[in-house]
Amino acid sequence: MDADDPLLRILACPLDKGPLTLLSEQNILYNPRLQLSYPIVDGIPQLLPSSGSRVTEDDHATYLRAAAE
């Protein structure tokens, strides 16, 4: 999945229904509001609520910096 993929405009977090940020280096979709990451496996986003992983404060800061670049 790449940043220009039109699918990114319609994908949403299954919990708060808000937009997700693609972090291609980490191969995840990230929800900074809930600090949850969702894996992308073989190009397919895993967006079940149980697939979300809570991230640490350090990872959250790293992901925010990566998203701003």
Side-chain angles (χ1 to χ4, degrees):
M1 177 171 269
D2 63 48
D4 296 330
D5 194 326
L7 183 61
L8 283 176
R9 286 180 275 185
I10 61 170
L11 290 178
C13 176
L15 298 175
D16 74 355
K17 311 301 186 236
L20 296 166
T21 301
L22 174 65
L23 298 172
S24 49
E25 284 190 24
Q26 291 84 5
N27 210 28
I28 62 170
L29 289 169
Y30 185 57
N31 178 338
R33 298 167 306 284
L34 300 178
Q35 295 185 7
L36 291 173
S37 66
Y38 295 93
I40 300 172
V41 179
D42 295 327
I44 301 169
Q46 307 298 305
L47 293 177
L48 294 173
S50 61
S51 297
S53 298
R54 181 106 22 223
V55 302
T56 65
E57 287 297 322
D58 289 338
D59 285 341
H60 174 68
T62 300
Y63 294 166
L64 290 179
R65 281 192 301 276
E69 293 177 351

